[in-house]
Amino acid sequence: MRVKDVKKVVLAYSGGLDTSVILKWLQTTYRCEVVTFTADLGQGEELGPARDKALLLGIRPENVFMDDLREEFVRDFVFPMFRANALYEGLYLLGTSIARPLIAKRQIEIAEQVGADAVAHGATGKGNDQVRFELSYYALKPDVKVIAPWREWDLTSRTRLIEFAEAHQIPIAKDKRGEAPFSVDANLLHSSSEGKILEDPWEAPDEMVWQRTIAPWEAPDRPEEIVIEFERGDAIGVNGERLSPAALLTRLNALGRDNGIGRLDLVENRFVGMKSRGCYETPGGTILHLAHRAIESITLDREAAHLKDSLMPRYAELVYNGFWFSPERRMLQALVDESQRSVTGEVRLKLYRGNVIVTGRRSPNSLYSMRHVTFEEDQGAYDQFDAQGFIKLNALRLRLGAMAGRRGGAL
């Protein structure tokens, strides 16, 4: 786009080196008014310095937005995704992916509030986040202008960024003057580390990579038992105490951290085409995922559960690729939410040295019938002779195939 086309831009701003350089670059390159937006998603960092730095760089106080989105993040984004049991490529609990649509949503709301005609983000041109941000922007405000500095400028190294910062009197933390050993992104659901010393998938991650969990082998040598309560598919309490969504995930994070739970070293397929290696920590989410599957095991009908599981990879892929606001994700969400009507009850678990062990589950809506499944006398609840016709009918096509010379399933 032409520089003169932008009058006011809302920047997703963390206060770190990259977004501080972007802020000044927008001012000097686009000659536009900049509005900063910093989201508190439970990343565990003090956000005051981001406000101070924005003011120092010439942003007017009324143009500095800092929002606590922790409850909205867990209630409206994390919990709906966990109802689907979403795992990308069978392992990744999508901690970074699910945060981007909320940040983008709030950016667009601020843009409309202040009359901005553009939004900007600090994602690079190699990663998934640029896609997630921009698909969300366009879904919510189709005429918005998007500025992605990493795809436009010539500041292609950490050295160039620092030189730009020094030339424009942007404060730089001392530890930023050297090369960071890896990149970190965090929120209330997880922490992810990637790049630099983690780029070789054969090299084991250094222990300093793991910031939210103790090593499983250093966790207490005794199991910790907890009970999680669910209502219509969402966790609502831990050990008898009802908690808000964000407070509940915070509690599970602490339990997971102390028991070495939730580490994942993964080589994944990025949407943009390349493979990348990430080290993820999702302590509370790992507990919640397994507990939710446990309560579903006694409350969901077999075919409903199997249909839901067959759709889960598609749902996870949509979240990973940035299509949270797409019609197909909404359609799948409606199906998932309908399936959760009876997913109410309690799950008992033991946490032990990196393991989450389900030891009990109960529900007023349970489909588990001890009378039918018992090895003892069932008093006529189940007529075993009925199985003979069931098996013969299911075997009919196999028998016909064998009679035609296609034994053993041969085509």
Side-chain angles (χ1 to χ4, degrees):
M1 73 182 73
R2 295 190 305 274
V3 170
K4 65 181 180 181
D5 288 341
V6 176
K7 297 180 177 60
K8 183 184 288 189
V9 58
V10 179
L11 169 65
Y13 182 68
S14 69
L17 175 63
D18 290 17
T19 54
S20 294
V21 168
I22 288 172
L23 190 163
K24 181 57 69 174
W25 180 85
L26 289 170
Q27 293 172 326
T28 58
T29 302
Y30 280 85
R31 306 288 182 182
C32 61
E33 186 177 2
V34 179
V35 176
T36 64
F37 162 56
T38 306
D40 182 357
L41 296 179
Q43 54 266 50
E45 297 177 352
E46 172 60 46
L47 301 185
R51 177 193 296 276
D52 296 340
K53 188 176 285 189
L55 296 173
L56 182 66
L57 294 173
I59 305 302
R60 298 204 306 268
E62 64 270 24
N63 282 344
V64 177
F65 287 80
M66 308 193 77
D67 295 345
D68 184 346
L69 301 179
R70 287 174 293 178
E71 289 293 348
E72 182 180 0
F73 176 51
V74 182
R75 182 188 66 239
D76 297 341
F77 291 81
V78 174
F79 274 9
M81 182 177 71
F82 271 63
R83 288 177 218 140
N85 299 322
L87 291 171
Y88 181 66
E89 298 189 334
L91 292 168
Y92 175 37
L93 284 162
L94 296 160
T96 295
S97 314
I98 194 61
R100 298 328 190 201
L102 174 55
I103 295 171
K105 170 179 170 284
R106 185 62 185 132
Q107 261 185 285
I108 293 298
E109 290 171 349
I110 293 171
E112 293 182 335
Q113 178 181 335
V114 302
D117 55 337
V119 289
H121 61 75
T124 73
K126 282 189 175 183
N128 297 305
D129 279 343
Q130 58 180 335
V131 184
R132 296 166 182 153
F133 280 125
E134 294 178 35
L135 289 178
S136 298
Y137 295 151
Y138 290 130
L140 299 171
K141 189 175 177 61
D143 61 341
V144 72
K145 297 166 185 168
V146 177
I147 303 175
W150 282 100
R151 300 201 302 254
E152 297 182 28
W153 64 19
D154 60 357
L155 305 177
T156 54
S157 69
R158 181 70 46 177
T159 300
R160 296 290 303 278
L161 287 176
I162 292 174
E163 289 174 351
F164 183 96
E166 291 176 338
H168 292 87
Q169 299 180 317
I170 299 171
I172 309 170
K174 288 184 179 180
D175 59 355
K176 290 293 185 182
R177 293 180 180 275
E179 195 73 21
F182 50 86
S183 174
V184 178
D185 176 78
N187 57 50
L188 193 54
L189 179 57
H190 92 156
S191 175
S192 71
S193 302
E194 62 181 11
K196 303 295 171 53
I197 65 171
L198 298 174
E199 288 178 355
D200 184 348
W202 178 249
E203 292 296 323
D206 191 280
E207 192 60 29
M208 70 175 176
V209 169
W210 309 110
Q211 301 174 46
R212 291 201 169 190
T213 57
I214 65 173
W217 49 89
E218 293 180 357
D221 190 15
R222 53 175 172 71
E224 181 169 4
E225 189 169 87
I226 65 170
V227 175
I228 300 178
E229 183 181 356
F230 288 87
E231 188 174 282
R232 296 174 69 92
D234 290 342
I236 60 170
V238 178
N239 292 338
E241 180 183 359
R242 291 182 71 100
L243 298 164
S244 73
L248 186 142
L249 186 53
T250 300
R251 178 73 57 82
L252 293 182
N253 278 337
L255 290 164
R257 177 197 64 222
D258 294 344
N259 289 281
I261 290 165
R263 293 185 176 187
L264 174 65
D265 182 346
L266 176 68
V267 173
E268 69 199 57
N269 290 290
R270 286 183 180 173
F271 190 25
V272 295
M274 68 189 76
K275 291 184 182 290
S276 65
R277 192 261 193 104
C279 291
Y280 301 113
E281 291 176 279
T282 319
T286 300
I287 298 169
L288 184 59
H289 173 76
L290 293 169
H292 182 255
R293 291 214 63 120
I295 193 63
E296 281 190 328
S297 73
I298 61 170
T299 56
L300 279 192
D301 167 79
R302 181 189 71 184
E303 293 307 313
H306 291 181
L307 174 62
K308 184 168 175 284
D309 276 351
S310 73
L311 295 170
M312 182 278 287
R314 176 67 170 140
Y315 182 106
E317 187 176 77
L318 288 171
V319 176
Y320 184 86
N321 291 346
F323 288 95
W324 179 260
F325 293 111
S326 68
E328 61 269 32
R329 200 282 307 177
R330 293 174 186 268
M331 290 170 65
L332 287 177
Q333 192 70 57
L335 180 147
V336 167
D337 291 351
E338 178 67 18
S339 77
Q340 302 297 287
R341 284 189 176 195
S342 299
V343 183
T344 294
E346 293 178 313
V347 177
R348 187 177 63 242
L349 313 105
K350 283 185 178 178
L351 312 178
Y352 179 67
R353 290 195 161 182
N355 294 286
V356 181
I357 306 162
V358 176
T359 63
R361 67 292 276 162
R362 64 185 178 186
S363 169
N365 305 323
S366 177
L367 296 175
Y368 185 91
S369 171
M370 290 182 63
R371 187 178 171 210
H372 283 79
V373 80
T374 182
F375 283 97
E376 305 301 328
E377 173 59 50
D378 64 16
Q379 299 179 339
Y382 179 85
D383 187 344
Q384 297 192 36
F385 184 77
D386 291 344
Q388 178 176 312
F390 172 79
I391 295 168
K392 280 200 167 184
L393 283 175
N394 276 282
L396 180 58
R397 65 187 179 87
L398 304 179
R399 296 171 68 194
L400 291 173
M403 290 175 189
R406 303 175 188 178
R407 295 190 178 189
L411 298 178

